[in-house]
């Protein structure tokens, strides 16, 4: 993603980080099994910077709400935007909308959107499956 922004859109001085939202989620204590934290890698200052969150599937908005809380630990950005690869409309629990989207999917509540990444799954794919 960063390569596309730098090469195709000529965005220079791009800083890429990874934000773990595990312990900022509102359903953190509702699971029967303990959550395992991922790794946060932000080795730059976000204070007064424009930050763009990238999410694979925007569904209820709860993950983005968690990210908004988590990023505050690293400073106060001047602006935050949201890029989502798949915008699953009609399912929001919170009033969160993407600034940029790849595709919109009108999935009914008993359907699930699954995003596969070549690096993890051996293929790049977006699937709409029954729960």
């Amino acid at each position: 993603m960063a390569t596309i922004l730098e090469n195709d859109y000529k965005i220079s001085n791009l800083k890429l980080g990874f934000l773990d939202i595990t312990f900022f989620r509102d359903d953190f204590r509702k699971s029967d099994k303990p959550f395992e934290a991922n790794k946060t890698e932000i080795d730059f200052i976000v204070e007064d910077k424009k930050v763009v969150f990238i999410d694979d599937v925007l569904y209820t908005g709860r993950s983005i709400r968690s990210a908004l809380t988590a990023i505050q630990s690293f400073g106060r950005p001047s602006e935050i935007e949201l890029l989502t690869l798949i915008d699953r409309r009609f399912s929001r629990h919170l009033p969160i909308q993407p600034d940029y989207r790849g595709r919109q999917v009108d999935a009914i509540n008993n359907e699930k959107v699954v995003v596969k990444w070549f690096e993890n799954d051996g293929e790049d794919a977006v699937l709409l499956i029954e729960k």
Side-chain angles (χ1 to χ4, degrees):
M1 184 67 70
T3 305
I4 292 170
L5 293 172
E6 290 171 333
N7 295 338
D8 296 351
Y9 294 93
K10 307 301 182 211
I11 297 174
S12 60
N13 200 21
L14 180 68
K15 307 281 189 217
L16 179 64
F18 299 92
L19 181 63
D20 179 22
I21 62 166
T22 302
F23 300 111
F24 294 92
R25 295 182 56 89
D26 60 1
D27 59 355
F28 164 60
R29 302 213 185 275
K30 294 181 182 177
S31 177
D32 293 337
K33 60 180 183 171
F35 279 108
E36 290 187 28
N38 293 308
K39 190 173 183 181
T40 291
E41 294 179 26
I42 298 178
D43 59 353
F44 49 88
I45 304 295
V46 301
E47 189 75 30
D48 295 325
K49 300 284 192 289
K50 179 178 181 177
V51 171
V52 178
F53 290 146
I54 300 173
D55 195 9
D56 57 354
V57 179
L58 177 58
Y59 181 30
T60 63
R62 286 184 145 63
S63 294
I64 299 305
R65 192 226 33 98
S66 302
L68 289 166
T69 302
I71 197 68
Q72 297 300 314
S73 300
F74 296 91
R76 184 177 179 187
S78 62
E79 186 178 350
I80 298 176
E81 293 180 333
L82 173 60
L83 180 153
T84 185
L85 302 177
I86 306 296
D87 178 8
R88 190 180 159 152
R89 303 186 314 165
F90 310 127
S91 304
R92 300 286 189 279
H93 296 176
L94 300 169
I96 293 175
Q97 299 299 321
D99 297 286
Y100 316 98
R101 72 174 59 88
R103 301 259 187 233
Q104 276 186 326
V105 175
D106 295 338
I108 301 171
N109 284 333
N110 63 347
E111 295 175 322
K112 182 176 182 177
V113 177
V114 176
V115 177
K116 294 188 173 198
W117 298 96
F118 182 80
E119 295 81 3
N120 299 330
D121 307 303
E123 66 176 326
D124 289 330
V126 176
L127 308 171
L128 185 60
I129 60 173
E130 293 285 329
K131 282 188 179 179

